Amino acid sequence: DSGVTQTPKHLITATGQRVTLRCSPRSGDLSVYWYQQSLDQGLQFLIQYYNGEERAKGNILERFSAQQFPDLHSELNLSSLELGDSALYFCASRREGGEQFFGPGTRLTVL
Amino acid sequence: AQSVTQLGSHVSVSEGALVLLRCNYSSSVPPYLFWYVQYPNQGLQLLLKYTSAATLVKGINGFEAEFKKSETSFHLTKPSAHMSDAAEYFCAVSYGSGNTGKLIFGQGTTLQVKP
């Protein structure tokens, strides 16, 4: 158990819909990272938040957005979903100078 | 662009044999290097990391990796494979320090261990 929790574990939805994925970091970790894992793209960095502020952006689509709340949990919002958005979405948390610890992931299926 | 290349998407070894998973990175700046393992239907677990201390890094479950700057490599090895080592392995680099540190992953290598 990494100490990072993600909900829900599985999500099945239809094209055009909007979903929210939730991540709770390890206690004391201020940084949260979001990654997407798909068969064709592999593991890709999406976005990072540090103590409520966006710090780095990767290959994140404009239809996707994220935020980190004062209690440090983070949410990844995916809208206007397409079939190609089906993937595993991981969040990871990190304290300054440390390594990233990954959550179990949310498997999103878009039908 | 910074990138990580894992040579061989599938590696098959016999139980008890040497495991060698290859990773090369492209960068003129020494990065932080990591190996993660992913078991089926699970998240990623850190095996080991290189952060510019000793070039030979020992990790969990008997794995180790050697950083070779001249070859821009960070290959993962284990002297004797166990059935429980069957999983997908990812090499990753990070170039950020402090509060950045996003990971760039290789495409992954699936390790099969035959009895």
Side-chain angles (χ1 to χ4, degrees):
Chain A
D1 184 359
S2 67
V4 179
T5 60
Q6 289 186 249
T7 56
K9 192 170 185 178
H10 299 279
L11 199 48
I12 301 174
T13 188
T15 55
Q17 295 298 304
R18 173 188 170 94
V19 297
T20 297
L21 313 183
R22 181 188 171 104
C23 169
S24 293
R26 295 187 314 156
S27 177
D29 289 0
L30 299 180
S31 275
V32 169
Y33 300 77
W34 286 97
Y35 295 87
Q36 180 195 60
Q37 184 179 31
S38 62
L39 282 175
D40 52 347
Q41 298 291 327
L43 264 164
Q44 288 200 96
F45 167 72
L46 295 178
I47 196 163
Q48 178 209 357
Y49 276 81
Y50 176 81
N51 202 20
E53 294 185 3
E54 182 186 304
R55 278 304 174 96
K57 222 168 185 177
N59 298 324
I60 187 166
L61 300 172
E62 284 191 13
R63 300 183 285 108
F64 296 1
S65 64
Q67 53 185 326
Q68 186 178 26
F69 295 87
D71 67 352
L72 301 178
H73 92 271
S74 178
E75 293 181 355
L76 180 67
N77 301 295
L78 315 176
S79 61
S80 303
L81 285 167
E82 301 175 359
L83 295 178
D85 298 327
S86 296
L88 258 173
Y89 291 85
F90 288 108
C91 98
S93 74
R94 172 178 179 259
R95 60 195 55 166
E96 191 169 340
E99 63 263 25
Q100 293 183 32
F101 288 84
F102 283 75
T106 293
R107 183 173 294 279
L108 174 66
T109 303
V110 182
L111 301 175
Chain B
Q2 299 148 353
S3 66
V4 179
T5 302
Q6 291 184 238
L7 297 175
S9 58
H10 288 85
V11 170
S12 181
V13 300
S14 298
E15 191 174 18
L18 171 72
V19 175
L20 171 60
L21 305 182
R22 300 176 188 273
C23 172
N24 289 86
Y25 64 92
S26 64
S27 173
S28 58
V29 176
Y32 297 124
L33 292 153
F34 306 83
W35 276 98
Y36 282 87
V37 61
Q38 184 180 27
Y39 298 101
N41 300 313
Q42 293 187 29
L44 284 82
Q45 180 184 7
L46 181 69
L47 279 177
L48 50 79
K49 64 179 181 180
Y50 167 77
T51 56
S52 76
T55 56
L56 182 62
V57 182
K58 293 190 184 299
I60 62 171
N61 301 339
F63 285 93
E64 62 182 38
E66 186 173 8
F67 171 69
K68 291 187 177 180
K69 185 178 177 181
S70 60
E71 299 177 7
T72 59
S73 69
F74 191 57
H75 301 331
L76 182 70
T77 60
K78 181 174 181 178
S80 176
H82 192 272
M83 296 296 292
S84 61
D85 295 327
E88 189 157 21
Y89 291 79
F90 292 93
C91 180
V93 298
S94 169
Y95 296 94
S97 60
N99 301 324
T100 55
K102 67 178 184 182
L103 292 172
I104 300 170
F105 286 91
Q107 288 294 357
T109 298
T110 300
L111 176 65
Q112 180 189 23
V113 182
K114 298 178 291 185

